[in-house]
Amino acid sequence: MTALVGRTRARAVETLSLDSTGTRNALSAALVGELAAALADCGADPGVRAVVLTHTGTTFCAGADLRDPPDPDALVALLRQLVALPRPVVARVTGHVRAGGLGLLAACDIAAASATATFAFTEVRIGVAPAVISLPVLPRADPRALARYYLTGERFDPAEAVRLGLLTVTADDVDDALAPVLDGLRRSAPEALAETKQLLTARVLETFDRDAAQLTALSARLFSSAPAREGMTAFLERREAAWVV
């Protein structure tokens, strides 16, 4: 079976690349499982100083795979794993990020995107809500500014993503922007990096511990609802949903 997550290493930085271009790197059960396994390997390997999470193709992640969606508990576990991994995780984005992909982005410690990237919380347009991904998104983003995009599903650009708190930096050349970041991580003591990451992620992990069960149940309920069935069918058939006026 073809791997859905590519893996390379250079100077103690492990790069994990979402590689399911046929589905625009949508979060299928298989992709979530492979990414979780790769992250577990990185967390257990003392030779890994940091992890870069990137993608092949023009889309970083299109959100949940509507034909093969992951179990909500598995998605929660993946997002928590990114937040709690004892290695800094850096997102490198050169394409589009939608719905669940923004959960991945928010779960990373540092996130950089090229100027051509676009972002959208599209859940409301298919009849669901950004429930599970709120676990890392809401503690790290400005909730007042975020409300517009949660409620409308509008696209926004990298500069707006920086303003919201979802991105660290945007640049024409994302690799140039990340070069000093990766150099700094390589110069940092591994134990100090792990302890510093714990300081930074403590409140995010508290949100997981407090709200994960409730938001997982909400996600499951909404995805099994009649509006979601109509919204997902309309999306797959490339037509407007019945509620559009």
Side-chain angles (χ1 to χ4, degrees):
M1 186 174 67
T2 304
L4 301 176
V5 178
R7 300 177 64 171
T8 60
R9 188 180 301 186
R11 294 182 57 207
V13 174
E14 185 92 357
T15 296
L16 304 180
S17 182
L18 305 182
D19 190 13
S20 181
T21 54
T23 65
R24 299 190 302 144
N25 295 321
L27 293 169
S28 63
L31 180 58
V32 167
E34 281 196 34
L35 181 55
L39 288 168
D41 289 345
C42 292
D45 187 342
V48 175
R49 182 66 52 84
V51 176
V52 171
L53 181 62
T54 189
H55 61 102
T56 58
T58 59
T59 300
F60 173 73
C61 178
D65 188 329
L66 300 183
R67 292 186 172 89
D68 179 28
D71 180 85
D73 288 325
L75 182 55
V76 168
L78 175 65
L79 296 174
R80 196 183 197 288
Q81 185 180 17
L82 281 163
V83 175
L85 198 76
R87 309 283 185 272
V89 183
V90 179
R92 175 191 176 276
V93 177
T94 61
H96 310 301
V97 190
R98 299 288 183 266
L102 281 154
L104 293 181
L105 196 71
C108 295
D109 303 290
I110 298 169
S114 66
T116 57
T118 67
F119 308 84
F121 293 97
T122 52
E123 288 88 348
V124 289
R125 297 196 177 188
I126 63 165
V128 296
V132 166
I133 68 167
S134 289
L135 292 165
V137 170
L138 290 180
R140 283 182 157 162
D142 178 342
R144 184 65 174 170
L146 198 62
R148 170 179 176 174
Y149 301 105
Y150 256 44
L151 292 169
T152 67
E154 292 173 272
R155 294 183 187 180
F156 52 97
D157 64 17
E160 183 72 345
V162 171
R163 187 181 77 86
L164 292 172
L166 294 167
L167 274 185
T168 309
V169 65
T170 180
D172 289 334
D173 190 322
V174 70
D175 292 314
D176 281 351
L178 284 177
V181 172
L182 298 180
D183 180 63
L185 295 175
R186 290 184 175 107
R187 293 174 180 273
S188 302
E191 296 81 2
L193 282 177
E195 294 292 344
T196 302
K197 176 165 178 171
Q198 282 191 335
L199 292 173
L200 292 167
T201 58
R203 290 187 179 179
V204 185
L205 293 174
E206 286 175 4
T207 301
F208 274 82
D209 294 340
R210 184 186 67 234
D211 299 336
Q214 176 187 352
L215 293 179
T216 300
L218 174 62
S219 179
R221 176 170 63 81
L222 290 175
F223 267 90
S224 64
S225 69
R229 287 193 294 274
E230 163 60 15
M232 288 186 278
T233 300
F235 176 81
L236 294 171
E237 294 178 351
R238 299 180 181 275
R239 62 171 173 83
E240 297 279 22
W243 56 75
V244 176
V245 295

